[in-house]
Amino acid sequence: MAPKTARARRLGIALRHHREAAGLTLETAAAEINSTRSTLSRYENAQTLISPATVRALLTSYGVGADEVAAAVDLAKDARKPGWWVSYSYLLDRRTIDFIALEAEAIGIANFEPSVVPGLLQTADYIREVMRGGPHTLGDDLVEQRVKVRLDRQQRLTGDNPPIFDAIIDEGALLRPVGNQSVMDGQLRHLVKMAELPNISVQVIPLTAGYHRGTRGSLHILEFADPEDPIIASVETVAGQMILDRAGETRTCAKIMEHLRSVALSPADSRGMLLSVLKGR
């Protein structure tokens, strides 16, 4: 099963909209192309990649205009192109691969972390220590491969057309030692440096803010360029990462993120706190 990329989601939404506009049920539409309801449902929910030829056949049966059919066929071709993360499919679970595929197409990324520095801002040494302290015992080779994956994810932040990245960090994550002092000093200096980039903002929630809505765990929100693409939220649980895309769930997550921004220090004051923590180490 291919990762549920933003392109695949956009195509699925378009297929559903065109089917509903034609007044067809899943069963009736599937019969038009000698398929099944369950298969068409998986296409519309981006759970299974659909071939360009099937897209053309479906939309033609819906009476869609030639230009829109051509655009959807091109989108189906793009959705089938493998991303850089495919080579790591053996290493990561399906939910992580799905999230990386979505993150790679996001134009806006917001991430709150209560216990560690956000992954997209971690140094290689810090990543290494996090991986070694994870729930699974990993050998050195696997640790290094996972470090490489995370560093590859970070490249978008400094590449062409980088996304806007808003990082919100609980102060506890800055004070909690991960590795030795050299690792932490390097990580804190890296945070200060990355926060100087025009597409990145770093805000710290001070311990003096007390209990807040993010205390329970980390939160990611992804936004996409196409207005047809709904935002995606991801939360960490004891069972692993959960990706949320239902409107009610993502609205709740967006409200929580706004609350976290409101209780965090400003980017300028957060920089001052980072420098103060560095100086006090």
Side-chain angles (χ1 to χ4, degrees):
M1 189 179 292
K4 189 185 290 189
T5 64
R7 287 165 293 176
R9 287 197 313 133
R10 193 181 315 137
L11 178 60
I13 291 169
L15 292 175
R16 185 177 75 251
H17 284 176
H18 286 307
R19 175 179 59 78
E20 292 174 345
L24 299 174
T25 64
L26 279 168
E27 290 85 356
T28 304
E32 292 287 336
I33 59 168
N34 296 316
S35 186
T36 65
R37 181 190 187 281
S38 61
T39 297
L40 185 51
S41 176
R42 288 196 297 273
Y43 289 155
E44 292 185 358
N45 289 306
Q47 294 173 333
T48 302
L49 281 182
I50 182 171
S51 72
T54 303
V55 169
R56 185 180 299 279
L58 267 177
L59 296 189
T60 299
S61 73
Y62 298 163
V64 175
D67 288 346
E68 287 185 284
V69 171
V73 168
D74 287 342
L75 188 56
K77 292 177 180 176
D78 286 342
R80 298 174 76 84
K81 294 177 181 177
W84 62 263
W85 53 84
V86 170
S87 60
Y88 294 108
S89 296
Y90 72 95
L91 185 66
L92 305 171
D93 62 59
R94 174 57 194 269
R95 284 180 290 187
T96 302
I97 287 287
D98 276 350
F99 182 78
I100 290 174
L102 292 166
E103 180 188 77
E105 298 179 70
I107 63 165
I109 304 171
N111 178 202
F112 165 72
E113 291 292 345
S115 303
V116 294
V117 169
L120 291 179
L121 297 178
Q122 292 175 358
T123 64
D125 286 339
Y126 189 96
I127 297 169
R128 225 168 257 120
E129 295 298 332
V130 168
M131 294 299 175
R132 287 171 178 156
H136 306 293
T137 301
L138 300 174
D140 289 345
D141 286 347
L142 284 178
V143 167
E144 290 307 314
Q145 290 174 59
R146 287 172 181 256
V147 170
K148 179 68 163 53
V149 173
R150 190 159 296 180
L151 293 178
D152 283 349
R153 287 171 64 184
Q154 295 178 3
Q155 289 183 13
R156 276 201 73 211
L157 294 181
T158 54
D160 296 333
N161 300 314
I164 299 298
F165 181 49
D166 295 330
I168 305 173
I169 314 170
D170 195 277
E171 183 183 357
L174 307 179
L175 302 177
R176 177 174 293 103
V178 175
N180 58 31
Q181 182 169 331
S182 175
V183 171
M184 285 304 297
D185 286 353
Q187 179 60 74
L188 292 170
R189 285 194 294 269
H190 184 66
L191 274 177
V192 173
K193 179 182 177 181
M194 294 299 285
E196 294 172 354
L197 296 177
N199 60 306
I200 296 177
S201 71
V202 174
Q203 290 182 262
V204 178
I205 298 180
L207 293 176
T208 53
Y211 185 87
H212 54 73
R213 294 180 190 175
T215 305
R216 295 182 180 181
S218 67
L219 172 64
H220 283 80
I221 293 181
L222 306 179
E223 297 182 54
F224 304 93
D226 193 310
E228 291 295 318
D229 283 342
I231 69 170
I232 288 287
S234 170
V235 296
E236 289 286 345
T237 72
V238 291
Q241 188 174 35
M242 289 180 57
I243 297 177
L244 311 174
D245 58 5
R246 295 180 180 178
E249 295 170 334
T250 56
R251 274 197 301 270
T252 297
C253 290
K255 288 179 181 178
I256 291 173
M257 192 67 80
E258 283 306 309
H259 166 76
L260 295 173
R261 286 191 180 98
S262 72
V263 298
L265 299 175
S266 69
D269 288 344
S270 296
R271 174 186 171 84
M273 173 175 281
L274 287 169
L275 294 173
S276 177
V277 172
L278 253 176
K279 185 178 180 180
R281 292 187 61 79

